[in-house]
Amino acid sequence: MLKLSRLTDYAAVVMAQIARHPEQPHAAAELAEAVQLPHPTVSKTLKMLVRAGLLLSQRGSQGGYRLARPASQISAIDIITAIEGPVAMTECSQDDGDCELAATCGVSDNWQRVSLAVRTLLDSVTLAHLAETTPIKLPVRLPIQSVTLASEAGR
Amino acid sequence: MLKLSRLTDYAAVVMAQIARHPEQPHAAAELAEAVQLPHPTVSKTLKMLVRAGLLLSQRGSQGGYRLARPASQISAIDIITAIEGPVAMTECSQDDGDCELAATCGVSDNWQRVSLAVRTLLDSVTLAHLAETTPIKLPVRLPIQSVTLASEAGR
DNA sequence: ATTATACAGGACTAAAATGGTCCTCAATCC
DNA sequence: GGATTGAGGACCATTTTAGTCCTGTATAAT
């Protein structure tokens, strides 16, 4: 279905929660309560976010989690990558690229361009954006994305 | 990893192969040979594409598969949807939207906007694009995408 | 008509990913 | 020292995915 894993979803919700109160550290138990999710699961998610460098943790009483940098400098793709690994549309758009079918494939280059466009899009969405509550939805348009496909590449 | 399933990947490759020779019908066995994938798997993929209305099939000898419409009128999202179902970043960005955590979630609206942007991006990529071989990659930029987030929505 | 070709539909299985829990250890504060 | 809180990883259940195969049906050539 080309969707985020559930853990990634949790991660975004938790990150947003922290982003709305960036001063104090937040214990896992407190966050779990706030977002109404099981403690062990939230805890697992938080650990992944720490390992990815998006959160800082402090042990001991009065400890907890804080953002490693301002919410405006954390992007959606950072969160997704932290939980799911690199965003790539196809197997072969990854780094290793060990697809031996590349010869007969014929679409890999273009998929890679699409991948890049998706990544760029997700990179332009920040945690600050996600954390904002949205009382009204007024469609204001703003171009944020470019993609180059073979057909436009001069051939 | 936010990536396409392998079957979707196959579907794109096979569709591109057909798109490059749109006149004759192509038998599943012939396509499997051309793209170097197992016949049963290719066959399964083709059936899904027919059911989604992207391919037309003809039984009997000299039968096979043809595009249901020109490659320029089939988008990447059509192919993805045919195999994986609707593209939605989160559970709750789907139609039913039966997420009872929506109250404490606080990010669902913005994820839905991101989903929409991804869908729009994938909709702008056509099978004709994908099928093109790409001898040179000259980065020419072309804005194709807009997204509206809460922060830009007037509020 | 008969036969060979080729798709339709679905059952079935094996393997992998995912979601979720729990236990033990380490750090920190009081 | 004791309470609190995170780190790390093992572990299991469930779901999803990939892939195969079988039976049936439509079509064309002869």
Side-chain angles (χ1 to χ4, degrees):
Chain A
M1 178 162 1
L2 194 72
K3 72 158 179 257
L4 302 177
S5 83
R6 215 188 292 200
L7 285 187
T8 306
D9 205 350
Y10 297 165
V13 173
V14 170
M15 289 289 283
Q17 178 68 22
I18 298 175
R20 289 194 204 96
H21 307 93
E23 299 312 324
Q24 337 82 343
H26 301 268
E30 173 211 326
L31 290 168
E33 170 63 23
V35 302
Q36 286 291 294
L37 291 171
H39 179 183
T41 302
V42 168
S43 184
K44 181 181 192 171
T45 307
L46 289 165
K47 288 179 219 172
M48 291 195 243
L49 293 166
V50 169
R51 248 179 285 188
L54 304 186
L55 290 179
L56 299 176
S57 66
Q58 171 80 29
R59 297 188 187 185
S61 86
Q62 310 308 313
Y65 297 90
R66 282 174 300 112
L67 298 185
R69 49 183 195 270
S72 60
Q73 290 169 38
I74 295 176
S75 74
I77 204 172
D78 291 332
I79 299 174
I80 296 171
T81 304
I83 308 293
E84 311 193 10
V87 171
M89 296 295 283
T90 57
E91 210 72 55
C92 67
S93 24
Q94 280 183 86
D95 36 9
D96 40 16
D98 53 351
C99 175
E100 70 282 354
L101 298 172
T104 49
C105 166
V107 299
S108 60
D109 281 359
N110 285 323
W111 269 135
Q112 288 190 34
R113 290 191 174 79
V114 175
S115 271
L116 178 59
V118 170
R119 278 196 293 271
T120 306
L121 170 57
L122 293 176
D123 193 49
S124 73
V125 178
T126 72
L127 176 58
H129 288 138
L130 289 178
E132 255 181 74
T133 52
T134 65
I136 329 172
K137 318 172 199 168
L138 246 180
V140 175
R141 317 187 89 231
L142 165 99
I144 66 166
Q145 188 56 16
S146 294
V147 66
T148 303
L149 283 168
S151 56
E152 296 125 19
R155 67 102 53 345
Chain B
M1 180 168 355
L2 194 73
K3 72 157 181 255
L4 303 176
S5 81
R6 214 187 294 199
L7 284 186
T8 307
D9 204 351
Y10 298 165
V13 173
V14 169
M15 289 289 284
Q17 177 68 22
I18 298 175
R20 290 195 203 95
H21 307 94
E23 299 312 324
Q24 336 82 342
H26 300 268
E30 172 211 326
L31 290 168
E33 169 63 23
V35 302
Q36 286 292 294
L37 290 172
H39 179 183
T41 301
V42 168
S43 184
K44 182 181 191 170
T45 307
L46 289 164
K47 287 179 219 172
M48 292 196 240
L49 292 167
V50 169
R51 250 180 283 188
L54 304 186
L55 290 179
L56 299 176
S57 65
Q58 171 80 31
R59 295 191 188 184
S61 85
Q62 311 307 314
Y65 296 91
R66 282 173 301 112
L67 298 184
R69 48 183 194 270
S72 60
Q73 290 169 40
I74 296 176
S75 74
I77 206 173
D78 290 333
I79 299 173
I80 296 170
T81 304
I83 308 292
E84 311 193 10
V87 171
M89 297 292 284
T90 57
E91 209 71 56
C92 67
S93 24
Q94 281 182 87
D95 36 8
D96 40 16
D98 52 352
C99 174
E100 70 281 353
L101 298 171
T104 50
C105 166
V107 299
S108 60
D109 281 0
N110 285 323
W111 269 135
Q112 288 189 33
R113 289 190 174 80
V114 175
S115 271
L116 179 58
V118 171
R119 278 197 294 271
T120 306
L121 170 57
L122 293 176
D123 193 48
S124 73
V125 178
T126 71
L127 176 58
H129 288 139
L130 289 178
E132 255 182 75
T133 52
T134 65
I136 328 172
K137 318 172 198 169
L138 245 181
V140 175
R141 316 187 89 230
L142 166 100
I144 65 167
Q145 187 57 17
S146 296
V147 66
T148 304
L149 283 170
S151 57
E152 297 125 19
R155 65 107 57 225

